[in-house]
Amino acid sequence: MNKKKNIILTGDSPTGNLHIGHYFGSIKKRVELQKKFKQYIIVADYQALFNRRKIKDIKKNTFNIIIEYLSLGIDPKETTIFIQTSIPEINEFYIFLLNFVSYERLIRNPTIKKEIRMKNIKKPNMGFLTYPISQSADILSFLANYTIVGIDQKPIIEQCNEISKKINSYVKKNFFKKCKTIFGSKKKLMGIYGKNKMSKSLKNSIDLNSSEKEIIQRVRNIYTDPNRTKKNSPGNTKGNIVFDYLELFTKKKDMEILCEKYKIGTISDSKLKEILKDKLINFIKPIKKMRNIYNKNKDYVIEVIKKGNYKARNVVKKNLSKFKEILGFKSY
Ligand code: TRP
């Protein structure tokens, strides 16, 4: 008997390497919650298409992200991992959902507006503009009542709940549940230069597959207190990225000691970076080991994907047929 009642649907678009921001922002939470929740992780490969990634890269990134999940502690016995394009029934949900969202509402979505601005998208295609609806379809296909996302995705989940409420009132039934959002962390992890959030495309990230050399290089460039001119002058820990990162790996008590030392000037920037570098290397070492094991056992990974796809597809098929019936459609 499976005693897990609540359903989590969460996922990522396979756009490249994962970095520590992904881990602490979402994946760590998934690992923690998988024992208590019925958890599904979608690799949203359609979402990688709207910004014109090469199919070859999408395929490679999809496989790699799944290896990454496994290496980070996602257990396929507890979590169903699957690929969006392997489950065409989600698209049927998507088509139904399209009819419950106005164009005006879509282009008002703050996440969409922000991404258009940030990425300087001149002519957004419909795949991109409607991705909040596609993501809602991902969630609603599983009748999920929880999702885990980064803080920037909050408006997407709000829109999902708006759609499901509209449909529930249309069919006069509580078919879809409200989807509650679990945030992996309260704030976005900043990139090493302290200006933008951590992002692979901005080359300011510490990737989970970094080599020791790359870690040393990135750590050397981390933004600290610009007003600290001498190594023993009093320093500021606020907005100091080394402290943001150290916090991820350090107990509260030890963190307080480090902060105090920095403030009175008894610990240098280079010593701090040395500590951080060691912590990062220690964190990444076992992940690397696991990744190597999975890379040598591709058949096992393929098996995980096949089983996940099969299981997820059956759930969606069942929910879709119920949904169509409630809406009043009939298949002959
Ligand atoms: N848009 C999400 C991201 O880029 C990925 C995603 C796709 C997702 N479908 C989802 C997240 C459903 C949560 C639920 O991070």
Side-chain angles (χ1 to χ4, degrees), residues 130-228:
T130 61
Y131 104 74
I133 307 179
S134 151
Q135 190 156 329
S136 303
D138 299 339
I139 294 169
L140 299 177
S141 303
F142 288 84
L143 303 179
N145 51 340
Y146 285 90
T147 186
I148 307 173
V149 287
I151 252 161
D152 52 329
Q153 295 266 301
K154 193 170 167 231
I156 309 254
I157 311 306
E158 281 166 6
Q159 186 155 19
C160 170
N161 282 323
E162 230 176 271
I163 296 172
S164 61
K165 230 168 125 184
K166 230 178 182 173
I167 297 179
N168 280 348
S169 110
Y170 177 72
V171 298
K172 298 194 180 62
K173 243 194 174 82
N174 252 346
F175 184 67
F176 294 121
K177 301 174 184 98
K178 184 177 161 65
C179 179
K180 297 183 202 82
T181 311
I182 299 169
F183 297 109
S185 66
K186 287 192 188 70
K187 54 178 190 188
K188 272 266 156 210
L189 198 65
M190 297 300 281
I192 56 166
Y193 305 114
K195 283 203 190 92
N196 300 295
K197 68 169 193 177
M198 189 173 280
S199 154
K200 184 174 156 49
S201 53
L202 297 173
K203 294 195 167 36
N204 65 3
S205 58
I206 296 183
D207 295 347
L208 296 174
N209 67 356
S210 312
S211 64
E212 287 196 13
K213 208 172 132 207
E214 282 161 343
I215 291 178
I216 292 168
Q217 237 164 18
R218 290 268 153 120
V219 169
R220 197 180 297 139
N221 288 323
I222 294 178
Y223 179 86
T224 58
D225 176 2
N227 297 319
R228 198 181 201 212

Side-chain angles (χ1 to χ4, degrees), residues 16-261:
N17 294 339
L18 295 179
H19 51 62
I20 57 169
H22 289 121
Y23 179 72
F24 290 100
S26 164
I27 293 175
K28 187 167 176 240
K29 259 277 170 330
R30 299 179 193 172
V31 175
E32 283 164 18
L33 295 179
Q34 63 184 344
K35 281 208 157 33
K36 284 198 222 119
F37 289 75
K38 223 182 249 179
Q39 180 166 252
Y40 298 90
I41 300 185
I42 183 168
V43 183
D45 48 354
Y46 281 122
Q47 282 195 10
L49 188 59
F50 60 58
N51 40 22
R52 291 287 178 271
R53 272 168 219 275
K54 293 190 200 86
I55 297 293
K56 196 166 73 15
D57 292 340
I58 297 178
K59 198 170 110 186
K60 187 183 77 204
N61 291 341
T62 296
F63 199 78
N64 284 344
I65 205 172
I66 292 171
I67 289 191
E68 218 65 346
Y69 293 152
L70 299 173
S71 309
L72 291 167
I74 297 289
D75 176 358
K77 285 196 209 80
E78 304 285 354
T79 298
T80 307
I81 304 171
F82 68 98
I83 299 173
Q84 196 177 33
T85 49
S86 298
I87 307 197
E89 287 77 10
I90 297 177
N91 295 332
E92 257 192 84
F93 267 100
Y94 170 57
I95 299 222
F96 283 120
L97 265 46
L98 282 170
N99 295 281
F100 292 86
V101 189
S102 72
Y103 173 71
E104 275 69 26
R105 174 62 181 94
L106 253 191
I107 55 171
R108 258 195 295 120
N109 185 307
T111 305
I112 292 289
K113 276 165 78 174
K114 195 168 160 199
E115 284 184 31
I116 289 180
R117 211 176 335 113
M118 251 172 50
K119 296 177 188 160
N120 196 17
I121 304 173
K122 293 273 175 340
K123 290 184 181 173
N125 62 44
M126 294 310 284
F128 171 71
L129 276 184
T130 61
Y131 104 74
I133 307 179
S134 151
Q135 190 156 329
S136 303
D138 299 339
I139 294 169
L140 299 177
S141 303
F142 288 84
L143 303 179
N145 51 340
Y146 285 90
T147 186
I148 307 173
V149 287
I151 252 161
D152 52 329
Q153 295 266 301
K154 193 170 167 231
I156 309 254
I157 311 306
E158 281 166 6
Q159 186 155 19
C160 170
N161 282 323
E162 230 176 271
I163 296 172
S164 61
K165 230 168 125 184
K166 230 178 182 173
I167 297 179
N168 280 348
S169 110
Y170 177 72
V171 298
K172 298 194 180 62
K173 243 194 174 82
N174 252 346
F175 184 67
F176 294 121
K177 301 174 184 98
K178 184 177 161 65
C179 179
K180 297 183 202 82
T181 311
I182 299 169
F183 297 109
S185 66
K186 287 192 188 70
K187 54 178 190 188
K188 272 266 156 210
L189 198 65
M190 297 300 281
I192 56 166
Y193 305 114
K195 283 203 190 92
N196 300 295
K197 68 169 193 177
M198 189 173 280
S199 154
K200 184 174 156 49
S201 53
L202 297 173
K203 294 195 167 36
N204 65 3
S205 58
I206 296 183
D207 295 347
L208 296 174
N209 67 356
S210 312
S211 64
E212 287 196 13
K213 208 172 132 207
E214 282 161 343
I215 291 178
I216 292 168
Q217 237 164 18
R218 290 268 153 120
V219 169
R220 197 180 297 139
N221 288 323
I222 294 178
Y223 179 86
T224 58
D225 176 2
N227 297 319
R228 198 181 201 212
T229 43
K230 285 196 221 100
K231 69 176 183 188
N232 53 0
S233 55
N236 190 357
T237 59
K238 282 250 152 49
N240 188 323
I241 304 301
V242 180
F243 281 91
D244 284 4
Y245 295 176
L246 274 171
E247 210 172 22
L248 304 170
F249 306 98
T250 314
K251 287 198 201 91
K252 210 171 161 210
K253 235 181 167 171
D254 297 332
M255 210 51 214
E256 277 164 13
I257 297 171
L258 284 177
C259 283
E260 197 45 42
K261 280 187 176 171

